[in-house]
Amino acid sequence: QVQLVESGGGLVQAGGSLRLACAASGRTFSRYVVGWFRQAPGKEREYVATVSNRGTSTSYTDSVEGRFTISRDNSENTVYLQMNSLKPEDTAVYYCAADSRILGVGARSPQQYAYWGQGTQVTVSS
């Protein structure tokens, strides 16, 4: 099992940047693929990005490609989401999720991830 805790959310103006962190407990974190998802009020949870268990592969949804960067430091049991050029439509609660059964970075459905953090709010003002 793994426990996940997100941090780094906040209020930022459009065009600004934030870096989210997802800290994991457990000694086998390097076995887990980690994804970031987000959920805006009244909307379904949507996929944002994925990083492979070793950090060698990444994937992004089209709307954040080129603006967001996912990375991980397995020595620190932490996954990061660097968010640049933020837009008001990026406003949401951001969640990290992990699963050791996933191969590669193609898992984009929330149902594919067994472990979730509590979320961190990101608000982008116009």
Side-chain angles (χ1 to χ4, degrees):
Q1 283 192 341
V2 63
Q3 285 79 46
L4 306 174
V5 179
E6 301 96 335
S7 62
L11 174 64
V12 64
Q13 290 187 332
S17 298
L18 284 173
R19 188 175 79 156
L20 306 183
C22 173
S25 65
R27 292 174 289 180
T28 61
F29 182 61
S30 62
R31 298 179 184 177
Y32 290 77
V33 168
V34 176
W36 282 97
F37 291 78
R38 64 187 181 187
Q39 189 166 18
K43 295 188 177 181
E44 293 186 352
R45 191 166 299 188
E46 67 171 355
Y47 168 81
V48 176
T50 316
V51 63
S52 61
N53 63 321
R54 296 294 185 183
T56 54
S57 298
T58 59
S59 180
Y60 301 90
T61 192
D62 288 347
S63 63
V64 308
E65 183 82 54
R67 299 188 297 123
F68 291 10
T69 302
I70 189 171
S71 62
R72 68 190 295 162
D73 183 345
N74 284 342
S75 68
E76 296 291 334
N77 276 13
T78 303
V79 171
Y80 300 99
L81 186 68
Q82 177 67 44
M83 305 186 296
N84 298 328
S85 302
L86 283 161
K87 304 175 181 179
E89 51 264 43
D90 294 318
T91 295
V93 177
Y94 282 71
Y95 300 89
C96 64
D99 202 293
S100 62
R101 301 165 298 175
I102 298 171
L103 298 178
V105 291
R108 298 192 170 202
S109 170
Q111 285 71 32
Q112 294 177 276
Y113 293 81
Y115 301 101
W116 290 82
Q118 83 290 348
T120 185
Q121 176 71 47
V122 172
T123 304
V124 184
S125 63
S126 57

